């Protein structure tokens, strides 16, 4: 497979802009809906227990199809698959924004997730195959990682502004002009790679088993908080996922064209970096959730003030990602990962002390900036390390694997920490403690748990090979 650019100097910037816009839309959409949920609940007359499916449908589809989406870029060509994902995401956003019933909105969110599952690994594959110079590659991944990290924080602010000023529908409809622009930019700037066999090389049994297995796993995790781990829905989903994963691994050993060649895990850097990415995203994604609750429910800030409160974290992530762009090619990803994760651990430990008497300047500003700088560096280094050193015809596989691991980290991390937080808060409330104090203690425990995740990531980073 070869990627070509007719005018490299003129088009490299456009390729980077295309990939960053696609990733921004993906990450933004995963967080921007949270602020709009109360308005959606009232307008479409959702049943309360069904409202979670506005987010769950998106998350399950993304996680289920990421690995397949990454492999499709290798088999059918990165430009063609990128276009398909962007077009599907845009159309689904339009349908969701015009939905008049809960079922239509949930279905649209599912198709949005499918489009995102194709776009995310495709954009990362395009970067990896286009930017081959180590320094230029690190800079490109710095931009992509900064967008990945800041998109979630921006979503909190943008969701509140758009919902209050224009209505919840525009949280989805804003994707339509962005999507049309993205499709146009992909057609004009992204280089195509030669097809690698297409349908003849697609491991259909493997694709079916791993996709349904991932969807079953994420469904079980997503439902565990509401239904309990012992419910038949959760237990059955988790058992089904284990059975399907076993069948998938068996299929990969006998298939002539496996969806996920298991030999990729012999690459120590890829394997270790994916473990690091799991812990890092489990911590960062959970922080977006619990920090919002701390600022609003414990410290009493408004929705707009809460969004503005994310600026230090967002700026820190951007600066951290850009700041290591020149360092990673020189010293390798390992020291950057360790330093960044330890900085994240320190920032989270500090933030976890916030309570109803805390102030933004005293307890939030400095530690979230430190957290952002550390995690920005980690996002850059993991993206670079997990997708380098693999054959060109497995670039999409490596990208899909990294994005799948990140999504699993976000889902599992949030459920684990939410369970801890709820148990702590409920216990204190039952003892007669004030509500804000009880909630603050529960959220603080969750942020402490996020710090434990980043520390585990730092330990896992010791297994990343040193730069030779």
């Amino acid at each position: 497979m070869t990627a070509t650019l007719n005018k490299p100097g003129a088009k490299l910037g456009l390729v980077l802009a295309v990939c960053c816009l696609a990733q921004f839309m993906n990450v933004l959409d995963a967080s921007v809906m949270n602020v709009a949920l109360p308005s959606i609940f009232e307008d479409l007359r959702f049943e309360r227990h069904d409202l979670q499916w506005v987010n769950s449908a998106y998350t399950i589809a993304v996680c289920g199809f990421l690995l397949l989406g990454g492999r499709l870029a290798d088999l059918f060509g990165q430009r063609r698959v990128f276009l398909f994902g962007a077009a599907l995401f845009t159309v689904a956003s339009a349908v969701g924004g015009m939905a008049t019933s809960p079922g239509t909105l949930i279905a649209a969110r599912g198709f949005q997730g499918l489009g995102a599952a194709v776009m995310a690994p495709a954009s990362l594959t395009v970067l990896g195959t286009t930017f081959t110079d180590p320094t230029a590659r690190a800079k490109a991944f710095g931009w992509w990682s900064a967008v990945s990290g800041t998109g979630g924080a921006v979503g909190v602010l943008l969701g509140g502004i758009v919902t209050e000023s224009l209505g919840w529908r525009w949280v989805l409809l804003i994707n339509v002009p962005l999507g049309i622009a993205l499709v146009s930019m992909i057609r004009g700037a992204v280089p195509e790679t030669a097809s690698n066999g297409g349908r003849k090389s697609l491991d259909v049994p493997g694709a079916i088993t791993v996709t349904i297995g991932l969807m079953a796993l994420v469904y079980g995790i997503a439902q565990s908080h509401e239904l309990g781990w012992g419910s038949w829905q959760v237990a059955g989903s988790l058992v089904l996922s284990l059975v399907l994963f076993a069948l998938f691994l068996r299929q990969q050993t006998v298939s002539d064209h496996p969806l996920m060649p298991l030999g990729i895990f012999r690459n120590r850097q890829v394997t270790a970096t994916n473990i690091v990415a799991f812990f890092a995203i489990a911590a960062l994604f959970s922080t977006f959730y619990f920090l919002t609750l701390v600022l609003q429910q414990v410290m009493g800030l408004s929705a707009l003030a809460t969004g503005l409160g994310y600026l230090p974290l967002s700026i820190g992530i951007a600066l951290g990602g850009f700041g290591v762009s020149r360092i990673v090619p020189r010293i390798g990803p390992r020291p950057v990962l360790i330093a960044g994760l330890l900085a994240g651990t320190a920032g989270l430990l500090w933030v976890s002390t916030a309570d109803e008497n805390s102030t933004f300047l005293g307890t939030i500003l400095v530690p979230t900036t430190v957290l952002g700088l550390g995690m920005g560096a980690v996002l850059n280094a993991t993206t670079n390390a997990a997708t380098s050193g693999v054959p060109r015809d497995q670039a999409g596989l490596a990208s899909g694997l990294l994005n799948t691991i990140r999504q699993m980290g976000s889902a599992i991390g949030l459920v684990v920490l939410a369970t801890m937080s709820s148990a702590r808060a409920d216990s204190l409330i039952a003892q007669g403690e004030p509500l804000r104090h009880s909630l603050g203690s529960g959220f603080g425990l969750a942020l402490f748990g996020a710090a434990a995740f980043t520390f585990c990531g730092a330990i896992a980073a010791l297994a990343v090979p040193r730069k030779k």
Side-chain angles (χ1 to χ4, degrees):
M1 298 173 69
T2 58
T4 60
L5 284 171
N6 295 327
K7 297 179 180 180
K11 287 194 174 182
L12 281 176
L14 282 176
V15 172
L16 178 58
V18 168
C19 295
C20 286
L21 176 59
Q23 184 62 4
F24 180 76
M25 291 172 64
N26 283 338
V27 177
L28 182 72
D29 203 73
S31 63
V32 74
M33 290 295 294
N34 290 325
V35 182
L37 287 178
S39 298
I40 293 172
F41 175 78
E42 295 291 340
D43 190 29
L44 295 186
R45 298 184 179 181
F46 264 83
E47 295 291 337
R48 189 166 298 278
H49 63 274
D50 289 335
L51 185 63
Q52 63 167 320
W53 282 103
V54 176
N55 280 339
S56 293
Y58 180 88
T59 302
I60 291 170
V62 169
C63 289
F65 287 95
L66 267 172
L67 191 59
L68 177 59
R71 193 57 172 153
L72 290 177
D74 293 332
L75 299 178
F76 294 95
Q78 60 186 25
R79 181 172 176 268
R80 185 179 297 111
V81 171
F82 201 174
L83 277 171
F84 170 76
L88 179 59
F89 187 90
T90 303
V91 172
S93 297
V95 173
M98 295 183 290
T100 57
S101 68
T104 302
L105 178 58
I106 291 171
R109 288 286 286 166
F111 280 105
Q112 262 193 309
L114 177 57
V118 175
M119 274 204 301
S123 69
L124 195 51
T125 302
V126 169
L127 285 184
T129 57
T130 303
F131 292 85
T132 55
D133 175 75
T135 301
R137 178 187 177 94
K139 288 182 179 179
F141 283 145
W143 279 98
W144 193 90
S145 300
V147 167
S148 299
T150 58
V154 171
V156 178
L157 175 60
L158 186 61
I161 295 174
V162 170
T163 301
E164 289 185 11
S165 59
L166 300 175
W168 70 265
R169 295 183 182 278
W170 281 96
V171 170
L172 291 166
L173 292 176
I174 196 173
N175 288 323
V176 176
L178 291 176
I180 293 172
L182 178 62
V183 168
S184 177
M185 292 167 70
I186 294 172
R187 291 175 59 87
V190 173
E192 183 58 287
T193 51
S195 173
N196 191 33
R199 295 175 181 81
K200 294 182 180 180
S201 298
L202 182 60
D203 174 17
V204 176
I208 294 173
T209 52
V210 75
T211 299
I212 299 177
L214 284 168
M215 293 176 73
L217 177 61
V218 177
Y219 172 81
I221 293 171
Q223 297 297 299
S224 63
H225 186 59
E226 179 180 350
L227 302 178
W229 292 101
S231 67
W232 69 266
Q233 296 98 322
V234 172
S237 296
L238 297 180
V239 170
L240 176 61
S241 69
L242 290 176
V243 172
L244 291 173
F245 286 151
L247 292 174
F248 170 71
L249 293 175
R250 171 62 179 168
Q251 173 64 21
Q252 301 315 286
T253 64
V254 300
S255 175
D256 293 332
H257 303 285
L259 177 68
M260 186 177 71
L262 299 182
I264 194 172
F265 293 106
R266 288 196 291 268
N267 185 321
R268 179 181 163 191
Q269 178 165 294
V270 170
T271 301
T273 304
N274 273 279
I275 295 173
V276 172
F278 175 88
F279 285 113
I281 294 301
L284 185 60
F285 186 84
S286 299
T287 299
F288 288 144
Y289 178 79
F290 288 107
L291 182 58
T292 301
L293 297 178
V294 168
L295 293 174
Q296 289 187 308
Q297 297 185 10
V298 178
M299 296 175 60
L301 299 184
S302 67
L304 181 58
T306 297
L308 294 173
Y310 270 89
L311 287 177
L313 179 60
S314 302
I315 294 171
I317 290 173
L319 293 177
F322 295 138
V324 300
S325 295
R326 294 182 179 275
I327 299 175
V328 172
R330 292 204 304 265
I331 67 175
R334 174 174 160 153
V336 173
L337 289 172
I338 294 173
L341 287 161
L342 290 178
T345 301
L348 283 166
L349 287 175
W350 190 347
V351 172
S352 71
T353 64
D355 58 25
E356 64 273 23
N357 299 315
S358 298
T359 63
F360 180 82
L361 293 178
T363 315
I364 305 298
L365 176 62
V366 175
T368 56
T369 303
V370 172
L371 171 64
L373 290 170
M375 297 308 288
V378 170
L379 289 172
N380 186 328
T382 52
T383 303
N384 201 326
T387 57
S388 62
V390 298
R392 183 179 288 271
D393 64 352
Q394 292 185 5
L397 169 62
S399 302
L401 178 62
L402 175 62
N403 279 286
T404 300
I405 292 297
R406 285 176 166 176
Q407 287 289 334
M408 295 306 301
S410 67
I412 294 174
L414 183 57
V415 167
V416 170
L417 297 182
T419 301
M420 293 169 49
S421 176
S422 296
R424 178 66 170 270
D426 290 345
S427 175
L428 292 176
I429 292 172
Q431 296 173 25
E433 295 290 335
L435 179 60
R436 286 177 64 187
H437 173 74
S438 301
L439 293 176
S441 181
F443 300 152
L445 179 62
L447 291 168
F448 184 87
F453 282 147
T454 56
F455 187 73
C456 289
I459 294 174
L462 295 173
V464 176
R466 298 178 185 271
K467 181 177 174 61
K468 297 180 180 179

